Amino acid sequence: MGFLLRIVGFGLLILGIYLVGENIFFTTNVYPYWWRGISADISVLALTSGVLLLVFAPGSMKDLGWTAVAVAIMAIFISSRAILNPTSLWQFFLSLICIASGYKMLTTGYLPF
């Protein structure tokens, strides 16, 4: 029963991330200034290297992976190409419940309620 609840928890976690992320768009286009294009390139490269370091690197290099992910997030906002569409309070509440309860079920194997 615990394994099934962990699978359901993982599904809830993914559903919650999807619900939050469906109103966030990352765009790229040609910039008149050369440094804005570099910022978009840095964000993609830093995010890719950060995720690869988090997944495949030994434990001593995990901090470097998180640093690369943080640099990628800052570069996305510096390039100002993250578009946040309005979301309803109900949708945000639902996604937050899915993420929190899914994480709890995934890590502990029991229902959080």
Side-chain angles (χ1 to χ4, degrees):
M1 182 71 175
F3 179 72
L4 181 63
L5 285 177
R6 288 179 195 264
I7 297 296
V8 170
F10 181 71
L12 281 174
L13 187 66
I14 297 299
L15 177 66
I17 291 171
Y18 170 75
L19 289 174
V20 149
E22 75 177 340
N23 289 327
I24 301 172
F25 298 100
F26 298 102
T27 63
T28 59
N29 59 1
V30 178
Y31 295 105
Y33 306 109
W34 61 273
W35 60 84
R36 287 196 166 182
I38 290 176
S39 181
D41 295 339
I42 288 173
S43 66
V44 170
L45 292 174
L47 188 62
T48 303
S49 63
V51 167
L52 290 176
L53 281 171
L54 286 173
V55 172
F56 295 112
S60 61
M61 295 185 66
K62 299 290 185 190
D63 290 337
L64 186 61
W66 284 114
T67 304
V69 169
V71 166
I73 292 171
M74 288 188 323
I76 287 170
F77 287 108
I78 288 172
S79 68
S80 70
R81 298 312 314 166
I83 300 170
L84 305 173
N85 285 338
T87 184
S88 68
L89 186 60
W90 172 249
Q91 186 178 7
F92 182 72
F93 174 75
L94 182 65
S95 64
L96 192 61
I97 288 291
C98 285
I99 290 172
S101 61
Y103 179 75
K104 184 74 169 181
M105 288 171 66
L106 182 65
T107 57
T108 62
Y110 67 89
L111 292 172
F113 304 112

